[in-house]
Amino acid sequence: MGSEVTLKHIAEALGISAMTVSRALNNRDNVDEKTRQRVLEKAQSMGYTPNHVAKSLVSSKTYTIGVVIPEITHAFFPEVVRGIEEVTNSSSYQLFLTNANEKFEQEKKAIKALRSKRVDGILISSSLTVEDYSFYKQLIQSDTEIVFFDRCVENIGASCVSVNDKISARQITEHLITEHGFTKLAYLSGPQHVSVGRERYQGFLDAMNKHDIPLVDKWIIEGGFQEKAGYKAMKQILDLPRDEFPEAIINVNDPSAIGAIQAINEEGLSIPDDFAIVGFTDDIRANLLKVPLTTVHQPAYEVGKRAARKLLDSIENEDEPTENIELLTTLKIRASCGCNS
Amino acid sequence: MGSEVTLKHIAEALGISAMTVSRALNNRDNVDEKTRQRVLEKAQSMGYTPNHVAKSLVSSKTYTIGVVIPEITHAFFPEVVRGIEEVTNSSSYQLFLTNANEKFEQEKKAIKALRSKRVDGILISSSLTVEDYSFYKQLIQSDTEIVFFDRCVENIGASCVSVNDKISARQITEHLITEHGFTKLAYLSGPQHVSVGRERYQGFLDAMNKHDIPLVDKWIIEGGFQEKAGYKAMKQILDLPRDEFPEAIINVNDPSAIGAIQAINEEGLSIPDDFAIVGFTDDIRANLLKVPLTTVHQPAYEVGKRAARKLLDSIENEDEPTENIELLTTLKIRASCGCNS
DNA sequence: TTGTAGGCGTTATCAA
DNA sequence: TTGATAACGCCTACAA
């Protein structure tokens, strides 16, 4: 009820002007030290909270940045957020997270809300169902600074921080081919209109081409980034006659792999004896699984840090250049692909 | 660069007043249909985005609610957030998440920022190092509506949604005592000034008392809610002479249990042969562990939903009552306590 | 050192 | 149906 205390209230209580109160509270030097003390005490005792809404209206700066993540329960993203926070915590910017739940509609809604709130910049990892790049283009032309991370939209004028998805996917595929001699490879892919879906699939194709291994349509299934997608795709493979089974399953990410593993277990089959399987992410669960998962470790924390830094730099420096920053991954060889270690 | 388009710009371009533009854009009925069409088209073509900052200044309503979570990488919280989102997505409220990283200082900073932004309400789960309830009291007296979830601060005038921590902790302890006949029980606790830390410890004590089992000081270690805390606490136990080892380890939550398991494995000991171990949360990892973890399943999603609903109700209804809502848990008996299943 | 006037973008209110 | 005016809380610029 009791409407909030304003500068004016403090001023009246003290018999001085609102302007002086403002100056005192903002630590300007042109205010008498005694006056400042009186103001500070009064503000404290009256429970004053500065109204940033009003402040922002004047300054057209909110010292707020928005983050749009596609799926908060995919452990990779919370880790990225931690990295972002490391940067923003030592700056004067406040962070607002929004979750798109892999839906582009929700993502658009979140971005619009952030823009309406006049955040100074937005970090975006685009959602599963993203389809309308013109939306991003319009966004980039506005006053709001944008930096993409992980799932990038390239060459539309915004910087991007990601990992070398294509090469990493090629490497993990080649590991299966050269170290294990597998030639029957299935690929449970992500959607091709999302950069990481596309890049990782390309890496898989590169490896197959290089080793002259033919692609088998029924083993290449476009699913999604979530567990249920991996589960569903694997079910499709398990429905094949047994002599048409692949030897190894390559997944677009770890959640997909975990879903696939569940499907395999339900069928009473085992890893790595019946299927070798690999993921991509190095999810917190990867190393804890009954059969630890071979995967590509992504430096999530670092991705967050770099993206946040780039965004703050772009906000504070008019002519910060646009760039694509690619961080490096590490292959994590574990038991799920049939290795000893 | 090009500063944002405002109502006034549209008005000038159309040769009408800003007020009419405002009315048209807000779908008021007292505006000519032709005028409305002209305005809508112009707004679209000029790329108008409403300035909620200004709007909020007038209405003192922001249609925004803040969420303060203590630890975003603890999988329980992202799941709660999903529940919160289910509610807010079908309302006109926008969600802003902040993460306190288990630090009260960071939590206070986040809350202050949210208040300065004049969010209409805040959902809070308090942080590890919380110590100053007067901060919350002051908050509750302000215009901002507050609802606590999971980690509550009770009897200070705000509603709270939590699970029946005490009874659940008692039940899982009794399971170890009555089903397995253990009497040498260790408890790796959370901090006692956080409600769930306190309640769960009480539940453990209740079970011990009821069965007349004496407490052993060296087996009761106050750690924290994160993996490293469980790891460290378990190390302490493993430093004891072997004949002073407890039979079972009860943890304040799953991350703590996972940390403890790591310490046990590093020592070359095994579960459940050398130690039975149980957690509390039913983290996404619990069932995936090499030896699946016996734990208490918390309805995280539901906690989020209920808390969000309560908050929105409190915001929109002046005299919504204050209440403590307690949701029920389920015991998940798995192999880590030495059970067959 | 302090105060006054004006404006940030929007809406409520009253008048036309 | 439309417009003019004032107000939300704060800050910049200028004046005292």
Side-chain angles (χ1 to χ4, degrees), chain B residues 143-156:
Chain B
D143 265 353
T144 322
E145 289 291 337
I146 302 294
V147 170
F148 287 100
F149 65 96
D150 190 51
R151 306 193 191 164
C152 296
V153 179
E154 288 174 340
N155 304 319
I156 59 168

Side-chain angles (χ1 to χ4, degrees), chain B residues 170-185:
Chain B
R170 202 191 70 203
Q171 285 172 339
I172 201 167
T173 307
E174 286 200 81
H175 175 84
L176 292 173
I177 298 171
T178 60
E179 299 298 315
H180 299 275
F182 293 135
T183 55
K184 297 180 180 176
L185 302 177

Side-chain angles (χ1 to χ4, degrees), chain B residues 7-245:
Chain B
L7 287 185
K8 210 170 153 193
H9 296 143
I10 301 177
E12 278 165 7
L14 251 35
I16 59 177
S17 79
M19 202 50 236
T20 303
V21 178
S22 167
R23 283 193 269 250
L25 258 21
N26 287 289
N27 284 313
R28 302 306 182 82
D29 46 13
N30 53 350
V31 48
D32 189 86
E33 195 50 42
K34 280 176 214 147
T35 315
R36 184 200 308 285
Q37 283 311 322
R38 288 204 305 147
V39 169
L40 290 180
E41 275 167 32
K42 203 67 181 177
Q44 173 77 30
S45 73
M46 293 177 79
Y48 173 75
T49 308
N51 187 332
H52 279 31
V53 173
K55 204 177 271 199
S56 298
L57 186 58
V58 174
S59 65
S60 74
K61 254 289 232 174
T62 57
Y63 287 97
T64 301
I65 69 177
V67 181
V68 180
I69 58 184
E71 173 54 291
I72 195 176
T73 59
H74 179 173
F76 171 74
F77 291 107
E79 194 58 29
V80 173
V81 169
R82 286 280 294 276
I84 295 172
E85 282 174 336
E86 181 182 320
V87 175
T88 54
N89 284 344
S90 55
S91 76
S92 49
Y93 287 79
Q94 174 67 27
L95 205 59
F96 285 139
L97 303 181
T98 60
N99 176 24
N101 211 355
E102 296 287 17
K103 296 197 187 73
F104 188 49
E105 273 316 308
Q106 227 169 294
E107 180 182 329
K108 280 211 283 201
K109 207 178 140 200
I111 292 176
K112 278 183 185 159
L114 290 167
R115 285 201 61 196
S116 290
K117 297 239 184 301
R118 296 295 188 266
V119 296
D120 298 324
I122 309 182
L123 292 168
I124 303 177
S125 191
S126 65
S127 270
L128 186 61
T129 57
V130 56
E131 43 203 1
D132 184 9
Y133 293 162
S134 73
F135 178 77
Y136 292 128
K137 282 186 192 150
Q138 208 175 359
L139 184 57
I140 288 164
Q141 276 157 25
S142 79
D143 265 353
T144 322
E145 289 291 337
I146 302 294
V147 170
F148 287 100
F149 65 96
D150 190 51
R151 306 193 191 164
C152 296
V153 179
E154 288 174 340
N155 304 319
I156 59 168
S159 290
C160 175
V161 178
S162 59
V163 302
N164 54 347
D165 286 291
K166 196 198 285 191
I167 291 175
S168 310
R170 202 191 70 203
Q171 285 172 339
I172 201 167
T173 307
E174 286 200 81
H175 175 84
L176 292 173
I177 298 171
T178 60
E179 299 298 315
H180 299 275
F182 293 135
T183 55
K184 297 180 180 176
L185 302 177
Y187 187 81
L188 311 189
S189 112
Q192 294 304 298
H193 51 265
V194 177
S195 66
V196 302
R198 200 169 47 236
E199 293 287 310
R200 292 178 194 171
Y201 182 56
Q202 270 302 328
F204 163 73
L205 292 183
D206 287 355
M208 296 295 270
N209 282 336
K210 185 170 161 197
H211 293 273
D212 276 330
I213 301 179
L215 298 176
V216 178
D217 276 355
K218 64 192 166 196
W219 293 339
I220 297 181
I221 301 177
E222 178 161 333
F225 295 123
Q226 289 163 314
E227 271 177 60
K228 58 180 180 211
Y231 178 83
K232 232 178 104 190
M234 191 64 215
K235 278 283 192 200
Q236 261 186 64
I237 289 182
L238 291 166
D239 279 345
L240 295 172
R242 229 172 152 111
D243 58 358
E244 293 179 23
F245 277 6

Side-chain angles (χ1 to χ4, degrees), chain A residues 233-289:
Chain A
M234 190 66 216
K235 279 282 192 202
Q236 237 175 287
I237 289 182
L238 291 166
D239 279 345
L240 296 171
R242 227 170 152 115
D243 58 357
E244 292 179 25
F245 277 5
E247 298 161 324
I249 317 291
I250 301 165
N251 288 271
V252 67
N253 66 10
D254 284 2
S256 169
I258 288 170
I261 288 170
Q262 197 194 329
I264 292 169
N265 289 340
E266 282 179 10
E267 207 69 16
L269 298 172
S270 84
I271 295 162
D273 298 337
D274 295 301
F275 296 104
I277 187 163
V278 302
F280 199 118
T281 306
D282 202 17
D283 191 300
I284 41 168
R285 296 169 292 182
N287 201 20
L288 296 173
L289 294 172

